[in-house]
């Protein structure tokens, strides 16, 4: 560290002319860019982590980064802080471009005060967040900090409050992406939780409110940092993390990909591209992918691959609540959000976690003008004491509320089963879907034929000489009367029954028609969604 860092009151010799001042500026900037020391950089690399500037270089287009408040220093005194006032104060802020579109970014520099947040550090983040909101451009935070700077006391805590307030102000206005590249403990974890997407890197990033030491002291449980709040835990168990990757390079590349699917703000549509995948391409493979037998599972991802452009889609929360799929993709170059039941996991039923996962995804898509495609193959809500006591009613209502509140174009497609309340909740025509299609394999009903027959014809079955034979007869009768493929279409609850091979063409034409859709919600401060 230079004399200027350690003794801030010292001043360089007064330059005699503008050239001298410019040379001094270059020297100061070089010091800020270099960081605290080569040893600190080596220590960061030894942990398998990149420096803040290396991360920014990977995220943004080459040469596009414009840094602000590079020369900011803290003003705190006591506990030795007055003797250590490095430039940037442990956070790098600015803007650049991703694929030519403006993106704002702040990145904690763990080499300086462990990336801990102090008053000046927080003020820099507040400033760049305000600029992102004003400019209407996405904000990406590269998190690698040790929490509040203890030496600055309550001033540091107040800094977090300012971040949380701005996260909330920006919610639904600009995309907010949190990339966890190191530790994030205590109240600091609430900022990522308020953003739209959370990325994590295995082994090097953790998030928790109370660390392993506190957990052990209070509960007696022993657990590692990764076991408590690592990437896999949050990607599979808690649902806090949307995406988890093995290394920072892959993680940041996927952040760039996600940004390519999002608009800059809520006043714009997502970026469209020219698609080389023909809009009228037939999907004959779909006829074999989905078994007509409703009890046979299949992989819904393969259905999505067959429908969307070039088979490419970005799945959100891939490893959490796997009985439902949420993904961003394109149809004829236009971005769509896809919500689909996954028959390979819990037969595709809706449960507490699946309802929460899909509800937030629907809300995100609606906030950022992303049309919604819902693919149904749902046998109902998951029965069980744990689900009922866990609040499946209110959690399921979150998904219902999200769909009913959405004003973007909405198309639902019923592939096979669509039973009971789950059929209604999954964007049925009755709750506002703009268009509803069904394949000829659809079964739309209050419940499965077997269960319905047992209820409706229980007396006849019980009185029959051969109850099982009578039951099978009644099941067949119920199916032929109320569950044939055209029952819902005959009553106007489905707009059309389509050939599965023509699904892509039908969806593209339908979304094109709905592109100019305009819908107004009642005037209100905000709704009161189920909790």
């Amino acid at each position: 560290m230079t004399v200027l860092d350690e003794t801030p009151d010292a001043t360089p010799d007064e330059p005699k002319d503008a050239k001298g001042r410019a040379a001094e500026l270059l020297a100061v900037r070089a010091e800020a860019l270099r960081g605290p020391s080569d040893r600190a950089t080596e220590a960061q690399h030894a942990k398998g982590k990149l420096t803040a500037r290396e991360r920014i270089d990977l995220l943004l287009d080459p040469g596009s980064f414009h840094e602000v408040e590079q020369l900011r220093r803290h003003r705190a005194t006591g506990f030795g802080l007055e003797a250590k006032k490095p430039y940037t104060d442990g956070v790098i802020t600015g803007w650049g471009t991703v694929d030519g579109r403006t993106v704002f970014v702040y990145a904690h520099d763990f080499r300086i005060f462990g990336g801990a947040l102090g008053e000046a550090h927080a003020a820099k983040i507040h400033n760049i967040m305000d600029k992102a909101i004003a400019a209407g451009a996405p904000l990406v935070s590269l998190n690698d900090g040790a929490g509040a700077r203890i030496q600055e006391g309550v001033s540091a805590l107040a800094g977090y409050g300012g971040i949380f307030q701005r996260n909330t102000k920006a919610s639904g206005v600009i995309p907010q992406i949190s990339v966890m590249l190191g530790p994030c403990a205590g109240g600091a974890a609430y900022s990522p939780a308020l953003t739209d997407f959370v990325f994590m890197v295995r082994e090097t990033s953790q998030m928790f409110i109370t660390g392993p030491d506190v957990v052990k002291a209070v509960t007696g449980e022993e657990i590692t940092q990764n076991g408590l709040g690592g990437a896999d835990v949050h990607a599979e168990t808690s649902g806090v993390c949307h995406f988890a990757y093995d290394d920072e390079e892959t993680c940041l590349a996927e952040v760039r990909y996600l940004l390519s699917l999002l608009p800059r703000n809520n006043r714009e549509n997502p970026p469209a591209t020219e698609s080389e995948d023909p809009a009228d391409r037939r999907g004959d493979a779909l006829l074999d992918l989905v078994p007509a037998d409703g009890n046979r599972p299949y992989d819904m991802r393969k259905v999505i691959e067959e429908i969307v452009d070039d088979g490419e889609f970005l799945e959100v929360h891939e490893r959490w609540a796997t009985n439902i799929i949420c993904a961003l993709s394109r149809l004829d170059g236009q971005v769509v959000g896809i919500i689909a039941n996954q028959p390979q996991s819990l037969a595709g039923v809706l449960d507490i976690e699946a309802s929460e996962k899909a509800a937030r995804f629907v809300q995100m898509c609606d906030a950022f003008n992303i049309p919604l495609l819902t693919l149904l193959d749902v046998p109902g809500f998951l029965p069980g004491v744990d689900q009922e006591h866990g609040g499946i009613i209110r959690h399921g209502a979150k998904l219902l509320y999200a769909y009913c509140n959405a004003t973007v174009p909405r198309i639902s497609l019923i592939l096979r089963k669509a039973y009971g309340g789950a059929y209604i909740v999954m964007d049925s025509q009755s709750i506002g879907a703009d268009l509803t299609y069904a394949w000829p394999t659809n079964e739309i009903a209050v419940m499965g034929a077997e269960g319905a027959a047992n209820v409706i014809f229980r007396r006849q079955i019980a009185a029959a000489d051969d109850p099982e034979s009578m039951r099978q007869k009644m099941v067949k009768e119920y199916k032929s009367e109320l569950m044939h493929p055209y029952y819902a279409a005959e009553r106007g609850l489905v707009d059309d029954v389509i050939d599965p091979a023509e699904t892509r063409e039908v969806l593209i034409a339908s979304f094109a028609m709905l592109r100019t859709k305009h819908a107004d919600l009642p005037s209100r401060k905000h709704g009161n969604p189920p909790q």
Side-chain angles (χ1 to χ4, degrees):
M1 186 141 329
T2 66
V3 173
L4 275 175
D5 287 325
E6 296 177 352
T7 55
D9 293 333
T11 57
D13 293 335
E14 187 70 22
K16 295 181 179 180
D17 53 26
K19 288 184 178 180
R21 289 186 180 274
E24 177 194 5
L25 174 62
L26 287 175
V28 170
R29 290 205 183 284
E31 182 181 336
L33 290 169
R34 186 169 59 249
S37 68
D38 291 339
R39 180 181 298 176
T41 301
E42 290 169 1
Q44 180 80 347
H45 288 163
K47 297 174 185 174
K49 302 196 295 184
L50 300 174
T51 66
R53 295 190 186 279
E54 289 170 340
R55 290 163 175 165
I56 290 172
D57 287 343
L58 285 174
L59 173 67
L60 301 177
D61 296 336
S64 69
F65 183 54
H66 298 266
E67 188 172 355
V68 295
E69 295 195 275
Q70 183 185 67
L71 307 183
R72 187 74 178 256
R73 289 168 147 176
H74 71 77
R75 298 175 294 181
T77 58
F79 306 102
L81 285 178
E82 65 275 5
K84 189 176 183 182
K85 294 191 174 184
Y87 293 119
T88 74
D89 199 47
V91 64
I92 299 167
T93 61
W95 77 90
T97 60
V98 172
D99 296 327
R101 298 193 304 154
T102 299
V103 173
F104 287 79
V105 61
Y106 68 86
H108 298 134
D109 191 340
F110 195 83
R111 301 173 302 166
I112 297 174
F113 300 128
L117 181 138
E119 183 181 18
H121 182 121
K124 289 183 64 175
I125 296 176
H126 297 168
N127 182 25
I128 207 64
M129 294 179 79
D130 289 339
K131 284 179 167 57
I133 296 169
L139 174 70
V140 179
S141 62
L142 305 179
N143 298 271
D144 186 9
R149 198 174 298 171
I150 299 172
Q151 299 94 322
E152 295 193 32
V154 72
S155 297
L157 292 179
Y160 276 122
I163 294 173
F164 303 156
Q165 189 270 339
R166 288 166 173 82
N167 284 138
T168 305
K169 180 180 178 181
S171 181
V173 179
I174 58 172
Q176 299 180 85
I177 299 174
S178 297
V179 188
M180 315 311 296
L181 302 166
C184 184
Y190 283 114
S191 176
L194 289 168
T195 61
D196 299 302
F197 299 97
V198 176
F199 287 72
M200 293 186 74
V201 176
R202 294 184 182 90
E203 303 303 324
T204 57
S205 62
Q206 302 89 28
M207 295 175 67
F208 36 69
I209 299 300
T210 55
D213 292 341
V214 176
V215 169
K216 183 179 179 180
V218 174
T219 69
E221 299 171 286
E222 291 191 19
I223 193 167
T224 64
Q225 286 195 346
N226 281 320
L228 181 63
D232 289 327
V233 168
H234 287 310
E236 296 177 8
T237 305
S238 73
V240 171
C241 167
H242 299 79
F243 306 96
Y245 298 100
D246 291 330
D247 57 79
E248 295 188 16
E249 291 84 356
T250 303
C251 181
L252 293 170
E254 290 300 300
V255 173
R256 287 178 58 92
Y257 180 44
L258 173 60
L259 286 167
S260 75
L261 296 167
L262 301 175
R264 289 183 297 182
N265 55 63
N266 64 342
R267 300 184 301 276
E268 297 182 0
N269 291 322
T273 61
E274 290 291 331
S275 175
E276 297 181 359
D277 194 347
D280 60 354
R281 171 174 58 78
R282 286 181 60 83
D284 292 308
L286 293 171
L287 297 168
D288 299 318
L289 280 176
V290 181
D293 181 356
N295 294 320
R296 288 179 58 192
Y298 62 94
D299 189 354
M300 184 65 82
R301 291 188 183 90
K302 295 188 181 299
V303 175
I304 296 172
E305 287 176 1
E306 187 64 28
I307 294 173
V308 301
D309 292 356
D310 303 310
E312 293 183 359
F313 62 93
L314 179 64
E315 187 169 350
V316 179
H317 268 146
E318 179 180 358
R319 296 159 61 196
W320 181 61
T322 55
N323 42 320
I324 200 160
I325 295 171
C326 297
L328 292 170
S329 188
R330 281 191 166 91
L331 283 170
D332 199 30
Q334 303 289 334
V335 177
V336 294
I338 300 171
I339 304 95
N341 306 109
Q342 173 56 295
Q344 276 194 337
S345 177
L346 294 176
V349 298
L350 288 179
D351 61 2
I352 289 172
E353 291 185 345
S355 299
E356 288 195 334
K357 170 181 170 177
R360 187 143 196 274
F361 184 76
V362 168
Q363 289 172 175
M364 185 280 299
C365 289
D366 186 52
F368 294 116
N369 309 311
I370 299 173
L372 293 167
L373 170 62
T374 305
L375 304 177
L376 284 86
D377 191 346
V378 59
F381 282 94
L382 181 65
V385 175
D386 289 344
Q387 288 290 307
E388 296 295 344
H389 289 185
I392 185 61
I393 295 173
R394 61 185 174 88
H395 289 288
K398 292 178 184 179
L399 180 55
L400 179 60
Y401 186 97
Y403 269 125
C404 290
N405 209 40
T407 60
V408 292
R410 292 155 51 189
I411 297 176
S412 61
L413 172 63
I414 301 160
L415 280 62
R416 274 196 326 190
K417 299 185 297 295
Y419 294 165
Y423 153 62
I424 301 297
V425 168
M426 290 287 290
D427 206 20
S428 63
Q429 187 185 89
S430 60
I431 67 169
D434 296 297
L435 287 167
T436 303
Y437 295 113
W439 284 359
T441 49
N442 80 81
E443 294 181 359
I444 306 173
V446 175
M447 63 177 68
E450 289 78 7
N454 288 337
V455 173
I456 298 172
F457 306 112
R458 63 182 181 278
R459 291 182 180 176
Q460 295 95 316
I461 293 172
D465 295 334
D466 185 350
E468 182 57 28
S469 178
M470 176 62 73
R471 193 179 72 84
Q472 292 299 328
K473 179 183 176 181
M474 294 298 100
V475 167
K476 186 175 181 180
E477 181 178 328
Y478 183 84
K479 280 187 174 182
S480 65
E481 289 291 326
L482 297 177
M483 291 182 65
H484 63 78
Y486 311 107
Y487 183 85
E490 290 171 358
R491 285 151 182 79
L493 298 175
V494 167
D495 289 293
D496 199 7
V497 179
I498 64 173
D499 180 348
E502 297 175 355
T503 299
R504 173 176 166 82
E505 182 178 5
V506 170
L507 291 177
I508 288 174
S510 300
F511 276 123
M513 179 276 291
L514 290 168
R515 202 163 295 150
T516 54
K517 173 187 174 181
H518 177 75
D520 289 320
L521 292 174
S523 177
R524 59 183 173 184
K525 189 174 182 180
H526 57 72
N528 186 24
Q531 296 298 316

